[in-house]
Amino acid sequence: MENLIVKGNANLSGKVKISGSKNAAVAILPAVAITAENVYLDNLPDITDVRTMIEILENLGVSIRRRGKNALELTPGNLSKIAPPYELVKKMRASYYFMGSLLARFGRAEVPIPGGCDLGPRPIDQHLKGFSALGANISIEHGMITLSADKLVGAHIYLDVVSIGATINLMLAAAGAEGRTVLENVAKEPEIVDLANFLNAMGASIRGAGTDVIRIDGVRSFSGAAHTVIPDRIEAGTFMLAAATTRGNITVEEVIPKHLEAITAKLREIGAVVEVEPEKINVKAIDPLVPTDIKTFPYPGFPTDLQPPGMVLLTAAEGLSVITENVFDGRYNHVDELKRMGALIKVEGRTALVEGGSRLSGGPITAPDLRSGAALIIAALTADGESRISAVEHIDRGYENFEQKLINLGASIQRVSEKGYKQLSYNRE
Ligand code: EPZ
């Protein structure tokens, strides 16, 4: 276990280059299994989840060569196994995307039931309903999901719930089905559009990604492709919210502003000054910040993944703000830790009341999950005094060089082992 020692009262300022999107990368890497031809991927974030995906692909028989820190060349021609190993799959939920890509390629897949998560129940009923509609036989026993289909046949599938995972998994399976599939009430996130572009570059025929209806005409085989992953809008939004929370001045670079419109609008409501240019956004804020309500919704609404850092920002706005978490049942793991830092927050079901205005105080904190962990680091940066944040492995899953990027913006952070030995100390570059 590693810890971060974070000094408070930080004002972050400077520029930060945003990495490739974790949630696009963890969909595009399993999609490589759909083809037997060589694939080149660039702008992959160097994070734990991507490294785990690479391990799974190699375990399945894909040979992979690094082409620089964020680029890979993959040869899936020798892919022969249809069962990703449990000890790797249990590390990350997105491994379930191998159901869709292996079904499309081999007509068969065996994937462990994905772990529940600290965000509340995360069923996969919509994924399975769609696979069944495409003609797959599904059996679930001994914790394994086995899918098999002599032939996948296009179908008209209406999702009961707007689900990113189900949209991605069904797009993967339908890409290799015979005939036309229409997916309705699908998720519209940019990561889905990025995956559709990658699949089309490999010869798929997918139209409508990014809208409520996706039409997929299956193809019999796929070519290779070269693809550059889109920037990570959640990482960018995390830094934008951190700029306002620390009353700093940060420019996020190499972003797609269109993907960040909900965050830009909310920051302006709270009183930050946000300047948007074609590939970068500058955020600065001074007191007072205005109490504001946040409601999370699927894209293009305010993203649930930015609700935790959004809450930290609202603890700094003088007055009552109301947060409504409409996507997950239980995404308030960060609240207890924030209350220990002195935040005045009351949770009633999906609603959190935040009475902002009093300064937080630093102390020992535990990161409960990826996005709550990032939010708690921001809280520690703006608090009085020093904090020691444990379980930072969660943060390493989804943010590339997170503490180094913060240090380059003026933060004072040291990474130490649980035993307290200083492992890595950075200086501002
Ligand atoms: C994706 O998870 C993201 N993960 C999550 O980001 C993100 O929080 C979430 O979408 C919502 O935006 C990746 O992209 C790898 P969903 P996913 O299926 O696909 C319910 C992060 O921090 N549902 O869109 O699992 C579900 O319970 C992670 O990067 C069903 O009921 O989310 C939830 O309430 C955390 N049945 C809602 O839909 C299903 O079959 C949205 O879930 C599937 C989902």
Side-chain angles (χ1 to χ4, degrees), residues 22-24 26-27 49 92-94 96-97 117 119-128 159 161-168 187 189 191 232-234 297-299 303-305 326-329 331 350 369-371 397-399:
K22 165 178 95 74
N23 289 347
V26 299
D49 275 8
M92 58 184 297
R93 180 180 175 76
Y96 63 17
Y97 292 146
C117 194
L119 307 181
R122 297 179 77 179
I124 60 166
D125 56 307
Q126 299 300 304
H127 302 237
L128 301 180
L159 293 183
V161 177
V162 174
S163 157
I164 290 176
T167 303
I168 287 174
E189 273 69 6
E191 294 76 33
D232 193 316
R233 62 192 170 96
I234 304 300
F297 280 108
Y299 191 85
T304 173
D305 292 346
N326 291 309
V327 176
F328 286 109
D329 284 335
R331 191 179 202 154
R350 285 176 175 254
D369 62 59
L370 167 59
R371 305 302 178 184
R397 281 191 48 208
Y399 288 95

Side-chain angles (χ1 to χ4, degrees), residues 80-211:
S80 53
K81 290 165 64 179
I82 51 101
Y86 174 74
E87 66 278 359
L88 292 175
V89 166
K90 72 181 179 187
K91 291 182 181 178
M92 58 184 297
R93 180 180 175 76
S95 317
Y96 63 17
Y97 292 146
F98 281 102
M99 290 195 285
S101 60
L102 292 172
L103 254 185
R105 175 136 176 223
F106 298 115
R108 193 168 167 74
E110 269 178 41
V111 179
I113 299 174
C117 194
D118 28 33
L119 307 181
R122 297 179 77 179
I124 60 166
D125 56 307
Q126 299 300 304
H127 302 237
L128 301 180
K129 176 181 102 167
F131 288 138
S132 173
L134 292 168
N137 302 307
I138 300 168
S139 82
I140 299 177
E141 50 187 14
H142 313 308
M144 295 294 286
I145 304 172
T146 302
L147 306 104
S148 63
D150 297 335
K151 186 168 64 170
L152 291 173
V153 179
H156 197 131
I157 301 165
Y158 198 99
L159 293 183
D160 303 331
V161 177
V162 174
S163 157
I164 290 176
T167 303
I168 287 174
N169 243 332
L170 298 179
M171 200 159 67
L172 289 167
E178 187 177 274
R180 170 164 289 189
T181 296
V182 178
L183 302 177
E184 300 229 30
N185 194 31
V186 291
K188 300 185 274 197
E189 273 69 6
E191 294 76 33
I192 289 169
V193 177
D194 203 29
L195 173 65
N197 291 339
F198 173 55
L199 289 169
N200 285 340
M202 291 194 289
S205 174
I206 299 172
R207 281 170 294 129
T211 72

Side-chain angles (χ1 to χ4, degrees), residues 58 65 81 87 92 101 111 139 144 234 241 246 264 292 312 319 323 381 410 414:
E58 287 176 329
R65 288 164 304 288
K81 290 165 64 179
E87 66 278 359
M92 58 184 297
S101 60
V111 179
S139 82
M144 295 294 286
I234 304 300
L241 292 163
T246 62
T264 295
T292 305
V312 173
I323 294 178
L381 286 167
Q414 283 181 335

